[in-house]
Amino acid sequence: MEWLVFVHVLSAVVGLGPAYAFPVMLKKETSLVEVIRRSEMVTKLEMFPKIFGGIALVSGIILFWLGDYGPILSLWLGGSLLLFLLAEVVIIGFLAPAAKKLSSVLAKQKEGGASEVNQESSILLAKVRNFHTLAGVLTTLILVLMVFKPV
């Protein structure tokens, strides 16, 4: 069972680590080329939270079934699951569509020969950055609940 806890913790760290850098990577920038480069980098790095976040979820469910962690509605466990679902709603429901739209707008700007980020792109970039920040706050709260396990 200790190896499964190790897998659970390691996958959470490897999965969440890069995600904490996303808001910094998507800082306000005027150069269109730089915004496109950073957005593409974030898109590539998003595989870590997707893959390892899934492993953390599955290993956490297995740990709950195999272990004696108390009722699922305890604050730390139920709260963690609720925060995880909320984070997924933010990521899938808001962040992903905004990032897709940003990518499309940036591509159109590039095709049009622009070198600076226009107002629409700047607003979308801020939206995407804010959604990444919110997801980071939610996952940090999950980590706090997992470490301190309040009743």
Side-chain angles (χ1 to χ4, degrees):
M1 182 101 115
E2 286 180 3
W3 66 271
L4 191 55
V5 172
F6 175 76
V7 166
H8 182 67
V9 172
L10 183 64
S11 61
V13 170
V14 173
L16 296 176
Y20 286 117
F22 295 163
V24 176
M25 293 172 71
L26 296 171
K27 69 180 183 176
K28 187 174 182 174
E29 181 68 53
T30 56
S31 165
L32 181 63
V33 171
E34 186 63 19
V35 171
I36 290 171
R37 187 181 73 77
R38 290 177 184 207
S39 295
E40 288 172 348
M41 197 179 314
V42 166
T43 300
K44 288 176 184 174
L45 289 171
E46 283 176 340
M47 74 173 191
F48 287 97
K50 289 176 182 174
I51 293 169
F52 291 98
I55 293 170
L57 177 64
V58 170
S59 61
I61 291 169
I62 294 169
L63 280 167
F64 176 75
W65 280 334
L66 296 178
D68 184 22
Y69 294 100
I72 196 159
L73 294 179
S74 62
L75 178 60
W76 75 274
L77 195 50
S80 295
L81 288 171
L82 184 64
L83 288 169
F84 180 82
L85 289 174
L86 186 56
E88 290 302 307
V89 167
V90 168
I91 293 165
I92 295 168
F94 299 100
L95 172 61
K100 186 175 181 180
K101 185 173 182 181
L102 174 63
S103 179
S104 173
V105 168
L106 291 172
K108 285 178 186 172
Q109 272 190 266
K110 186 177 179 182
E111 288 172 8
S115 62
E116 300 289 315
V117 175
N118 68 15
Q119 185 177 4
E120 181 183 12
S121 295
S122 187
I123 291 169
L124 283 168
L125 181 64
K127 234 183 195 182
V128 169
R129 184 177 54 248
N130 291 339
F131 285 134
H132 274 295
T133 301
L134 178 56
V137 167
L138 292 171
T139 54
T140 299
L141 291 172
I142 292 169
L143 291 173
V144 168
L145 288 174
M146 289 282 163
V147 169
F148 293 105
K149 293 181 176 63
V151 180

